[in-house]
Amino acid sequence: MPGKGTKLGPGFADKNIRDKTPDLHFHAHDTPIAMESLNIAIDLLRNALQLGARADQLTADSPLMGAFPEFNSLTVVGIVAGIEETLGCEVGDTEISEEIFQTVGSLADFIQTKMA
């Protein structure tokens, strides 16, 4: 029987494992299309903000506005152009809102709507 705090590997909570209950938290960004939209968002941010390897640290919960000094209106224009080019779609001016650029996940959610 594993001792207290023993790691059983991926899928199990890393705490007291008396009941051996798997950690099965489902996240909205775990579906294949959501993962694709998240990867697109991260790639667009990598290029628009010139993040290089720092982009590898981004998650769906990573904040955007206020988190990067270089994130400005030109960045938004570049990201929107990147979405249009990558997905072969058009993004109307009325579709753009501050909420889309709150986090990497909110940007990925918007990208996912344009993929449909």
Side-chain angles (χ1 to χ4, degrees):
M1 171 132 195
K4 185 176 181 178
T6 302
K7 291 185 182 180
L8 294 178
F12 284 89
D14 186 21
K15 49 189 167 198
N16 189 343
I17 308 178
R18 279 185 232 161
D19 63 356
K20 299 182 187 174
T21 304
D23 184 12
L24 298 176
H25 297 288
F26 177 78
H27 302 283
H29 292 282
D30 288 344
T31 64
I33 194 162
M35 289 302 296
E36 183 179 356
S37 65
L38 182 61
N39 289 335
I40 291 169
I42 291 171
D43 285 342
L44 290 171
L45 292 165
R46 179 188 320 272
N47 294 329
L49 297 172
Q50 300 177 352
L51 295 175
R54 292 187 301 157
D56 297 336
Q57 304 303 314
L58 294 175
T59 68
D61 296 327
S62 298
L64 293 178
M65 294 183 74
F68 297 95
E70 58 269 58
F71 195 96
N72 57 38
S73 59
L74 291 177
T75 306
V76 170
V77 170
I79 291 170
V80 169
I83 292 169
E84 291 176 332
E85 183 178 322
T86 301
L87 301 180
C89 66
E90 287 189 24
V91 177
D93 292 344
T94 58
E95 294 179 270
I96 306 300
S97 69
E98 183 177 327
E99 290 78 28
I100 293 169
F101 298 98
Q102 291 299 309
T103 65
V104 175
S106 61
L107 177 59
D109 290 343
F110 176 74
I111 290 169
Q112 187 172 343
T113 66
K114 299 307 282 183
M115 293 170 76

